[in-house]
Amino acid sequence: MITLGIETSCDETACAVLSGRDTIKSNVVSSSLFRHKPFGGIVPEIASRHCLEQIDFVFKEALGKARVRPPDIDLIAVTQGPGLIGSLLVGVAFAKALSFELDIPLLGVNHLEAHLAANFIARKEPFHYVGLLVSGGHTSLSYHKNGRITMLGSTVDDAAGEAFDKVAKILGLGYPGGPVIEEIARHGNPEAFRFTKPKQTNPFDFSFSGIKTAILYEVQKYWGAKYTGKPGRSMGLKDGKFQSRILRRLPLGFQRDMAASFQNAVVHWLVVKTLEAASFKKVKDVVVGGGVCANSSLREVLNREGKACGVTVCFPQLSLTSDNAAMVARRGIELYQKGRRSEQILTVDPNLPMGR
Ligand code: KG4
Ligand code: ZN
């Protein structure tokens, strides 16, 4: 069975061809990240325009690499949400047109569920497990059993990836923040700064806006202490231009220690809550997905702490952590084989929750 996956939920335009459930025949991604970098974050209009420009090329390249012709496709799986409405519309409209023209079944897929499903390409899905989703827009813990998904908790403010991105901006490290923070954190002292663990009523909820603000205050304090007469209040987050001019002057040692301390705290909070959720649901498997799970510190600590509690932690291969269409195809075929179908009236849902 040949599945074509289409992913356009944010800044990437991606198509992949999956044979059966396990064999990736092609996985093509065109990223518009370079176009957003000067703005310090994703600009939705630029993202959707890029998807529109790229989708046809990416589709043809994916088919060419897989040596597959359009009539060979048995199923089209497309990201229906959550994500940016303009980008989502490009993928869904393209998928619907293709499905109609070629008379191939169509299936709308949840992007977050697809991130977790990336783990099950060439690996068996555990009978029941806790899912940790850590991406640029979402952070959640969910319980999965027999294909049923129950949400245990999610972030009440910023997502984990968003926190990496915002802290990198505050430290003057550019966008996206995750990879650069991970890189400079290697040379920093993770104990240099301590952050208060956020308290949540639901033990499986997350909050990352407090640590971001604490870091902003530390940066302001540093600035104020070093240059008396030029108080930290000039460092407002909204004043992008002035802020980046000052922040580039932060000493490398400060940036490294702050990045290491931030990463250490976020990883610790993620790991503790995930293992508490596993213990609460009495499961021995944890499945992780989303861009932040490329982070080697998260991988190392979660694996190590999981092992100590008898929990097996499953991460997708590195090439499948960021947005891609192979994971969409994988989730699509799984649902299709369970009898799920979408109609031509399929619409996008920018806020599509997991498990629906
Ligand atoms: O899942 P993803 O590719 O896109 C969304 O669906 O949001 O995640 C992107 C996020 C960005 O916030 C990026 O900074 C973060 O993943 N990220 C990382 C790393 N690589 C990417 N965060 C921490 N460490 C990394 N190595
Ligand atoms: Zn994603």
Side-chain angles (χ1 to χ4, degrees), residues 7 9 12 111-112 115 135-136 290-291 321-324 327:
E7 154 64 34
S9 67
E12 270 94 17
H111 178 82
L112 310 176
H115 266 304
S135 75
T321 53
S322 54
D323 290 350
N324 66 85
M327 65 184 197

Side-chain angles (χ1 to χ4, degrees), residues 56-168:
D56 199 36
F57 298 115
V58 172
F59 164 67
K60 286 179 180 145
E61 196 181 327
L63 259 57
K65 282 191 168 163
R67 295 182 182 276
V68 158
R69 292 170 309 118
D72 301 331
I73 304 168
D74 300 302
L75 169 70
I76 301 172
V78 60
T79 300
Q80 181 189 2
L84 301 173
I85 189 163
S87 301
L88 288 168
L89 278 168
V90 174
V92 168
F94 190 85
K96 279 166 49 169
L98 205 60
S99 150
F100 182 74
E101 169 66 21
L102 299 170
D103 199 17
I104 305 170
L106 173 73
L107 198 51
V109 165
N110 183 307
H111 178 82
L112 310 176
E113 294 170 19
H115 266 304
L116 294 177
N119 283 282
F120 311 131
I121 298 177
R123 211 191 272 144
K124 203 171 171 297
E125 182 169 358
F127 171 64
H128 67 154
Y129 57 91
V130 161
L132 169 67
L133 193 277
V134 273
S135 75
H138 299 83
T139 298
S140 63
L141 281 166
S142 45
Y143 174 62
H144 302 243
K145 188 177 179 184
N146 272 342
R148 282 244 176 95
I149 304 175
T150 315
M151 294 312 292
L152 299 175
S154 57
T155 180
V156 297
D157 40 54
D158 294 345
E162 193 178 355
F164 271 90
D165 295 336
K166 286 179 174 171
V167 166

Side-chain angles (χ1 to χ4, degrees), residues 164 181 185 189-195 211 257-271 295 297 301 304:
F164 271 90
I181 288 202
N189 172 10
E191 305 292 333
F193 298 92
R194 301 241 164 187
F195 303 103
I211 188 167
D257 284 350
M258 189 57 90
S261 304
F262 162 74
Q263 181 176 272
N264 185 41
V266 169
V267 165
H268 178 71
W269 298 339
L270 288 170
V271 168
N295 188 282
S297 173
V301 180
R304 190 185 62 224

